[in-house]
């Protein structure tokens, strides 16, 4: 019984989060910001290595 409540609560939260993510461009940008920051850091690191820099 309690397991069912936990599962359905998790599904409800996931659904609410999905709807919020779909409807809010600001939320998507906020969530994806670390990914873009990481990609920029990797590109900066690779450019430094190509120029002969040291990590």
């Amino acid at each position: 019984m309690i397991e069912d409540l936990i599962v359905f609560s998790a599904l409800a939260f996931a659904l609410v989060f999905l709807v919020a993510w779909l409807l809010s461009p600001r939320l998507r940008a906020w969530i994806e910001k670390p990914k873009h920051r990481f990609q920029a850091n990797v590109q900066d690191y690779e450019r430094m290595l190509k120029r002969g820099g040291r990590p």
Side-chain angles (χ1 to χ4, degrees):
M1 183 70 160
I2 190 75
E3 295 88 4
D4 293 335
L5 178 64
I6 292 170
V7 169
F8 289 126
S9 296
L11 288 173
F13 281 122
L15 183 59
V16 167
F17 183 75
L18 176 64
V19 170
W21 184 82
L22 288 171
L23 296 177
S24 175
R26 287 180 55 205
L27 178 62
R28 284 193 302 273
W30 180 73
I31 290 171
E32 294 173 4
K33 188 182 294 187
K35 174 184 75 172
H36 296 297
R37 189 179 320 133
F38 177 76
Q39 288 174 336
N41 288 342
V42 169
Q43 289 173 348
D44 290 343
Y45 179 77
E46 289 175 349
R47 277 194 289 269
M48 180 190 62
L49 289 178
K50 286 180 182 177
R51 284 187 260 136
R54 298 178 69 163

